[in-house]
Amino acid sequence: MSTAAIPGAPLPVRTPGSRARGRHRRPERPEIRTGSPALVLAVPATAGPESRSVVEELLSIVRSEHAGVQAAVGYLPADGAEAGDSEDRTVAELLAAAAEAGLPTPVVVPLVPGPHGFLTELHALAAEYGATVTDALGPHPLLAEAVHVRLSEAGLARADRARLFAIATAADGVVLTTVGGEEAAAAAGITGVLLAARLAVPVVAAALDVPGSVADAVNHLKETGSQRPALAPLVIGPEADSELLATAAEETGCPSAAPLGAYPTVGQLIASTYLAALPTPTAEELAEAEAEAAATGGAGEGSRRAHAAAEGPVEG
C-alpha cells in the first residue's frame, strides 16, 4: 500500500533518481571552461547567400549543443575584396583579431567531410598564428547517417532498416560523390562501407572533380548487377560547385540526393571535433572548478562537470 492511501500520512516526496550507469547511460556534455579558445569554422568558399545560410545554421546547432562555446565563421577571401568591406570575415581576419586582442588562439575546424584542396593553404595560414587545425569531419558514422537520411528524403532508400517494405524508386546501388580528387574519394570509401551496411546495397565512392570518375563508378555498379543506381553527395555544400552535382546527375542519368547541408549530425561533428582539440584541464584547474562550484552551493554538479571536461567528448 502506498503512503498516499494511508490517512494522515505525509505526501510522498519525489526524489531525483540516480544517474543511469552502463552503456545505455546518457553522456554528460563536457563543460566549456571560461577562457577556452574560440571555434573558427573554416569554410572553403567565399561568403554568399547559399554558403552563409548553411554555416549559420550549423553554428546554431553547435551553440545549442554547447552553450558556452564562442564560435565564428571564417570564409575564403573574395577576389578584389578588402578587409572591412562586409560583416563576413575571413579565417585570416579572425585569427589576426584574436591575436591583437590577446585572446587564446582559436581552434580552426575545416568544414569539409574529407581531404580537400584548401586544407594545405589553411594549415599554412594557421601556422602563422600558431593555431590548431583539426582533422576533416570524416570519415565518420554520423556522416553515413546524414547521407542515408538525404537518400530517404529523395525516395531513394528506406528511412531505416527496421521498416522492411519496399520503395519502388529505391536505389539498388549508390555512388557516394565527393570533391577533393582521388584522395577524397578514397577517404569517402570508408563512409561508403558504413553506408552500405545501413542500406544493404553496394556503395562505391567517386570524385566529382575528377573527369569520368562518377561515370566509371556508375558503370561498375551496373556491371555488377545494379539496375537503379543513385548518386549520394558526401558534400556539405560550400566546398563543392553546385554545377558539378548537377552535371554528374545529368551525364549519368542517375537520380541524386541533396547535399548534407545543415543536417544536425554535421553540427554535432563540428562540436565534437572542436571539443577534442581543446587542451585537457590540469589538476589545478579542476580543483579550482570544484572549489568555485562548492562556494556557490553546487559542489556535486561542479565536480561532475569538471571531470566530464577532463574526460573529453563522447564519440557519436
Side-chain angles (χ1 to χ4, degrees), residues 110-216:
L111 187 62
V112 288
H116 193 281
F118 100 116
L119 290 175
T120 300
E121 180 181 350
L122 183 64
H123 278 277
L125 173 63
E128 295 180 16
Y129 295 91
T132 298
V133 177
T134 69
D135 292 333
L137 301 180
H140 198 280
L142 290 179
L143 291 179
E145 175 190 329
V147 174
H148 184 176
V149 170
R150 292 301 188 225
L151 283 167
S152 67
E153 290 172 346
L156 299 172
R158 295 193 311 270
D160 55 59
R161 289 169 290 183
R163 294 160 60 184
L164 300 178
F165 60 84
I167 297 178
T169 58
D172 59 359
V174 173
V175 176
L176 195 62
T177 60
T178 190
V179 292
E182 296 295 349
E183 184 182 2
I190 301 174
T191 300
V193 171
L194 300 172
L195 181 63
R198 298 177 66 95
L199 301 178
V201 301
V203 177
V204 294
L208 289 161
D209 49 353
V210 174
S213 179
V214 177
D216 289 345

Side-chain angles (χ1 to χ4, degrees), residues 17-285:
S18 59
R19 183 167 177 245
R21 299 180 180 278
R23 60 193 294 261
H24 297 295
R25 71 180 176 86
R26 180 183 178 87
E28 289 188 356
R29 293 175 177 174
E31 185 81 358
I32 305 295
R33 294 181 296 117
T34 302
S36 293
L39 185 164
V40 169
L41 186 60
V43 182
T46 56
E50 293 184 4
S51 60
R52 193 181 294 113
S53 64
V54 170
V55 297
E56 289 298 337
E57 189 170 348
L58 286 172
L59 278 194
S60 177
I61 295 170
V62 172
R63 292 179 180 124
S64 67
E65 288 283 316
H66 302 282
V69 67
Q70 300 296 317
V73 179
Y75 295 93
L76 292 180
D79 293 338
E82 296 183 3
D85 281 355
S86 72
E87 295 181 358
D88 299 307
R89 291 290 175 262
T90 65
V91 176
E93 289 171 345
L94 291 172
L95 294 179
E100 291 173 3
L103 299 173
T105 307
V107 172
V108 181
V109 179
L111 187 62
V112 288
H116 193 281
F118 100 116
L119 290 175
T120 300
E121 180 181 350
L122 183 64
H123 278 277
L125 173 63
E128 295 180 16
Y129 295 91
T132 298
V133 177
T134 69
D135 292 333
L137 301 180
H140 198 280
L142 290 179
L143 291 179
E145 175 190 329
V147 174
H148 184 176
V149 170
R150 292 301 188 225
L151 283 167
S152 67
E153 290 172 346
L156 299 172
R158 295 193 311 270
D160 55 59
R161 289 169 290 183
R163 294 160 60 184
L164 300 178
F165 60 84
I167 297 178
T169 58
D172 59 359
V174 173
V175 176
L176 195 62
T177 60
T178 190
V179 292
E182 296 295 349
E183 184 182 2
I190 301 174
T191 300
V193 171
L194 300 172
L195 181 63
R198 298 177 66 95
L199 301 178
V201 301
V203 177
V204 294
L208 289 161
D209 49 353
V210 174
S213 179
V214 177
D216 289 345
V218 170
N219 290 334
H220 171 75
L221 286 176
K222 290 180 176 179
E223 290 170 359
T224 54
S226 294
Q227 298 180 350
R228 299 182 306 280
L231 309 184
L234 183 59
V235 168
I236 297 169
E239 79 277 24
D241 187 338
S242 59
E243 292 185 3
L244 287 176
L245 297 168
T247 299
E250 182 179 353
E251 291 182 349
T252 60
C254 295
S256 177
L260 305 183
Y263 187 71
T265 59
V266 178
Q268 294 170 16
L269 270 177
I270 293 169
S272 63
T273 301
Y274 161 74
L275 290 171
L278 291 179
T280 302
T282 64
E284 291 78 8
E285 290 171 332

